[in-house]
């Protein structure tokens, strides 16, 4: 009788990086694939991809981005600039004894991954972006753009950019807030197009939470998954995670020399068709022929929201492994 091979063991590392330390979770052997999570998540968002990539013959490594989980949380938003996060990712590759990697990110992790390929093409030979497309540096100052996106109300990014404000909303009930935030952006629980109030803006003096879908939890978020996130943020707080939003104007200054620059590495984009980001960033997606000249896959998953690799893990794994296999061809 032929036995099914045992899954590759999971290894945890604390690696020396410019952040101080970076927590990395590894499974499998072969070419390195570095996985970067978004907000408000941790390495755990890649729990379905780690074994699938390992089984396909890759060394899959998911990290806690600086500010999250067991990675360092330096004080001050300047430490969360894009150049710092790219330096962390490159240092992880070196600390793992590798010279190059494919980098794949979701949400903020997608933006970090894109800038890894832009700024360090010597290290990152290909880039996959889930949920958020590549938009080249340049254009108006980010804080000015987001200030105009809420209409008469306040867009969530502007809300997050004010130090301490979102922390005061979230930290008294991390578990409840995360449940609502995940539900608001999941296809099976998000408010419908006829909802009276959009869930990504706040009224004057209000909170994001009051617009979340009450009493609903997406199918992918059982107690174990919610605990994995809530327990980490209850331990660390949210300031480190939110500092990424507060560093965006510094990115605009730091990256001015790369304004309009395309990524000249093989690329992949995957997003949920129900993800609001697809609408907000439609111009960036339409510009892919110019901004991603080596794009080798562009997928919108019907009936899927923002949390692509958790809402649709099997389909995401299939897309990723086929794309990775094609990189050697």
């Amino acid at each position: 009788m032929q036995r099914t091979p045992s899954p590759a063991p999971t290894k945890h590392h604390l690696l020396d990086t410019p952040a101080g330390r970076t927590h990395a979770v590894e499974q499998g052997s072969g070419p390195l694939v570095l996985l970067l999570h978004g907000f408000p998540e941790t390495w755990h968002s890649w729990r379905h991809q780690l074994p699938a990539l390992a089984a396909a013959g890759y060394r899959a490594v998911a990290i806690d981005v600086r500010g999250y989980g067991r990675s360092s949380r330096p004080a001050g938003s300047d430490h969360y600039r894009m150049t710092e996060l790219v330096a962390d990712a490159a240092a992880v590759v070196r600390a793992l004894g590798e010279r190059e990697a494919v980098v794949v990110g979701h949400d903020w992790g997608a933006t970090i991954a894109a800038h890894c390929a832009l700024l360090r093409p010597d290290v990152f030979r290909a880039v996959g972006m889930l949920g958020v497309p590549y938009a080249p540096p340049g254009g108006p100052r980010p804080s000015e753009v987001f200030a105009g996106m809420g209409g008469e109300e306040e867009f969530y990014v502007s809300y997050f950019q004010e130090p301490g404000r979102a922390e005061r909303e979230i930290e008294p009930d991390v578990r409840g807030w995360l449940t609502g935030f995940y539900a608001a952006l999941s296809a099976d629980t998000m408010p419908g197009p006829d909802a009276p109030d959009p869930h990504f803006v706040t009224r004057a003096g209000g909170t994001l939470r009051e617009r979340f879908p009450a009493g609903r939890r997406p199918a992918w978020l059982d107690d174990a998954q919610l605990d994995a996130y809530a327990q980490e943020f209850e331990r660390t707080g949210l300031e480190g995670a939110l500092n990424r939003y507060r560093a965006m104007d510094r990115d605009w200054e730091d990256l001015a020399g790369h304004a309009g620059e395309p990524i000249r590495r093989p690329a992949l984009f995957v997003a949920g068709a129900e993800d609001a980001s697809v609408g907000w960033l439609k111009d960036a997606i339409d510009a892919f022929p110019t901004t991603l000249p080596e794009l080798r896959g562009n997928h919108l998953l019907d009936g899927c929201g923002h949390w692509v690799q958790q809402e649709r893990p099997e389909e995401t794994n299939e897309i990723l492994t086929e794309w990775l296999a094609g990189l050697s061809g």
Side-chain angles (χ1 to χ4, degrees), residues 36-231:
L36 308 178
H37 67 82
F39 176 90
E41 300 170 286
T42 66
W43 74 268
H44 188 72
S45 70
W46 299 105
R47 63 194 175 278
H48 301 295
Q49 285 67 52
L50 286 167
L53 294 176
Y58 298 95
R59 186 184 187 187
V61 176
I63 68 170
D64 286 333
V65 175
R66 74 163 67 188
Y68 292 83
R70 292 174 60 193
S71 293
S72 293
R73 299 185 301 279
S77 60
D78 273 2
H79 292 290
Y80 296 83
R81 291 145 62 187
M82 188 59 66
T83 53
E84 298 282 333
L85 299 171
V86 170
D88 285 344
V92 166
V93 174
R94 291 193 300 270
L96 292 169
E98 303 282 359
R99 296 180 61 184
E100 64 177 16
V102 174
V103 61
V104 178
H106 168 252
D107 184 79
W108 263 123
T111 304
I112 299 167
H115 284 81
C116 285
L118 176 69
L119 302 177
R120 294 300 308 271
D122 56 315
V123 176
F124 299 100
R125 63 186 180 93
V127 57
M129 292 158 284
L130 276 59
V132 175
Y134 173 59
R141 185 180 291 272
S143 59
E144 296 173 357
V145 173
F146 293 117
M149 288 185 67
E152 295 182 357
E153 298 188 291
E154 186 176 21
F155 194 59
Y156 81 98
V157 175
S158 299
Y159 182 79
F160 284 167
Q161 285 178 327
E162 183 179 328
R165 187 175 174 197
E167 290 93 323
R168 290 191 293 273
E169 174 185 343
I170 302 168
E171 291 177 357
D173 178 20
V174 170
R175 185 182 177 89
W177 192 91
L178 289 176
T179 301
F181 191 77
Y182 296 143
L185 297 172
S186 294
D188 59 339
T189 50
M190 65 175 57
D194 298 326
D197 298 303
H199 59 276
F200 43 82
V201 297
T202 64
R203 61 179 176 80
T207 65
L208 285 173
R209 182 172 182 158
E210 64 192 25
R211 300 279 179 83
F212 291 162
R216 306 186 71 187
R217 188 188 294 188
W220 63 266
L221 189 70
D222 61 21
D223 282 338
Q225 311 316 325
L226 181 56
D227 285 345
Y229 292 125
Q231 289 171 6

Side-chain angles (χ1 to χ4, degrees), residues 264-296:
R264 300 189 183 280
R265 285 289 180 267
L268 170 74
F269 180 65
V270 186
E274 307 304 318
D275 189 346
S277 296
V278 172
W280 296 333
L281 298 170
K282 180 180 182 300
D283 288 348
I285 295 172
D286 290 344
F288 280 169
T290 299
T291 61
L292 296 175
E294 295 294 326
L295 185 66
R296 299 188 183 182

Side-chain angles (χ1 to χ4, degrees), residues 223-247:
D223 282 338
Q225 311 316 325
L226 181 56
D227 285 345
Y229 292 125
Q231 289 171 6
E232 284 293 80
F233 287 113
E234 286 167 349
R235 181 178 64 82
T236 65
L238 272 292
E239 181 179 359
L242 289 162
N243 273 338
R244 173 81 285 271
Y245 292 92
R246 297 162 188 166

